[in-house]
Amino acid sequence: MLIVIVTVFIRVLTLIESTAERRNRSAARRSRLRRQILKCLSNNTVSPTTYCHLNAAVPILRLYFEDGSDLRPNLRLSRQSIMSLITALRSDSDHGWEKDIEVLVFLYWLAHAASYHVVSLAFDIPKSTVHDIVHRISRAVIFILRRVIAFPTPDDLEEVGAGFVQLAGSPAFRMVAGAIDGCHIRIKSPASEALCYFNRKLFHSVQLQAITDHKGKFIDIFVGYPGSVHDARVLKNSPVYTGRLYPPAGNHILGDGGYPCLSVRPSALSHHTESCTVLLQLQACSCT
């Protein structure tokens, strides 16, 4: 019996010693890792509080940081537009990844309709980080949407009309308050509703209706209808039409032959003969 007790006691002591030894080895490894990290940080100009480093070898980043390089083939936007977007999204509470990098990741994801995995390889960052960046920048863009895309004020309408007069070379465009058209955004359609999203251009899409001023600046957008829906139906279901939001009385919006000549009245939405005649003479729309 005494021998059994001694044996058990020895085994317990052995386990305690091995556990202590493993803890010491783990502590030593953590200490070496901390020293290596501090050494790396001390050899860089990056602040020790920074938890990520910029990989300057990534082609898209190298292109971005080269002044004068054209970014449109890769990001679909000019350098000036990208810088304006970065400035609009930047805030005092930004930390971690620089806003420049986040916007580049977001634009690359949009421009190429790529998966998170493909974007993570292109920027050499984790796929989960790409997911977080895309969703965070999407929310930020939606938050500032109405601040950036808004109807002209009454004081700006005269400038807009003068701009269309200059573009057309005719004073008949003096009361034009914008131009409207639709755009098909290619998508992978739901399997059960593929036919609804198949458009006349023979691919699946959702429609983006946009109204712009004389400079091509967006003043209203409406997106979401399937690609098979006619432009006129998209217009008649958009808030700008159902809510009688634009244009002001006496002004017109120009569209192509896919849009009917309509006029917004205070009591009802009905045809307006005079406006329709003017637009027909300018071949900007067709009466229905």
Side-chain angles (χ1 to χ4, degrees):
M1 184 65 180
L2 180 60
I3 295 175
V4 174
I5 294 174
V6 171
T7 303
V8 172
F9 181 71
I10 291 174
R11 289 183 178 180
V12 170
L13 289 178
T14 304
L15 289 174
I16 293 174
E17 289 178 356
S18 62
T19 302
E21 186 179 354
R22 285 198 301 270
R23 289 177 178 175
N24 291 335
R25 287 199 299 266
S26 298
R29 285 197 298 268
R30 288 195 296 270
S31 179
R32 287 196 302 271
L33 182 60
R34 283 195 295 268
R35 288 197 300 269
Q36 292 173 359
I37 293 175
L38 291 174
K39 183 178 179 180
C40 292
L41 291 174
S42 64
N43 293 332
N44 290 276
T45 57
V46 182
S47 169
T49 58
T50 303
Y51 63 84
C52 58
H53 294 273
L54 183 65
N55 186 354
V58 173
I60 186 65
L61 296 182
R62 189 167 62 246
L63 185 68
Y64 172 71
F65 288 109
E66 289 178 359
D67 293 334
S69 56
D70 188 10
L71 300 176
R72 284 174 294 184
N74 291 284
L75 301 176
R76 303 283 295 276
L77 289 178
S78 66
R79 181 176 294 272
Q80 182 180 359
S81 297
I82 293 174
M83 296 307 299
S84 299
L85 179 59
I86 292 172
T87 302
L89 295 177
R90 183 170 284 125
S91 64
D92 297 334
S93 61
D94 289 341
H95 64 281
W97 296 90
E98 287 291 338
K99 189 63 66 178
D100 303 56
I101 308 303
E102 292 190 339
V103 171
L104 292 180
V105 170
F106 175 71
L107 292 178
Y108 190 92
W109 176 77
L110 284 179
H112 297 274
S115 65
Y116 296 144
H117 177 70
V118 171
V119 180
S120 71
L121 294 177
F123 285 86
D124 192 27
I125 58 178
K127 185 168 63 174
S128 59
T129 302
V130 174
H131 172 274
D132 293 342
I133 289 175
V134 167
H135 283 258
R136 181 164 57 249
I137 298 299
S138 297
R139 289 192 296 267
V141 169
I142 293 174
F143 180 76
I144 67 169
L145 182 64
R146 287 306 169 191
R147 193 177 72 205
V148 178
I149 302 177
F151 297 123
T153 63
D155 296 335
D156 295 332
L157 281 176
E158 185 176 349
E159 179 185 350
V160 173
F164 278 105
V165 168
Q166 184 176 1
L167 290 173
S170 171
F173 287 80
R174 176 69 60 182
M175 301 307 295
V176 172
I180 187 172
D181 204 357
C183 174
H184 289 274
I185 303 173
R186 189 184 296 269
I187 65 165
K188 184 178 181 180
S189 67
S192 60
E193 300 178 354
L195 189 61
C196 295
Y197 290 90
F198 195 69
N199 61 39
R200 59 186 176 81
K201 299 178 184 290
L202 306 182
F203 63 87
H204 297 93
S205 66
V206 295
Q207 293 208 50
L208 166 65
Q209 175 185 278
I211 303 176
T212 68
D213 64 8
H214 62 293
K215 296 180 180 179
K217 177 185 176 182
F218 287 88
I219 59 177
D220 183 72
I221 60 171
F222 177 64
V223 63
Y225 265 73
S228 63
V229 179
H230 193 275
D231 288 347
R233 182 181 173 191
V234 175
L235 170 63
K236 291 181 179 180
N237 286 276
S238 64
V240 70
Y241 182 87
T242 59
R244 303 171 173 86
L245 303 180
Y246 199 76
N251 294 91
H252 313 291
I253 299 177
L254 297 182
D256 59 22
Y259 293 97
C261 290
L262 300 172
S263 176
V264 178
R265 293 180 179 273
S267 57
L269 299 174
S270 60
H271 295 279
H272 190 285
T273 306
E274 182 179 356
S275 297
C276 186
T277 303
V278 172
L279 292 176
L280 275 175
Q281 290 173 352
L282 299 176
Q283 296 181 352
C285 74
S286 61
C287 291
T288 57

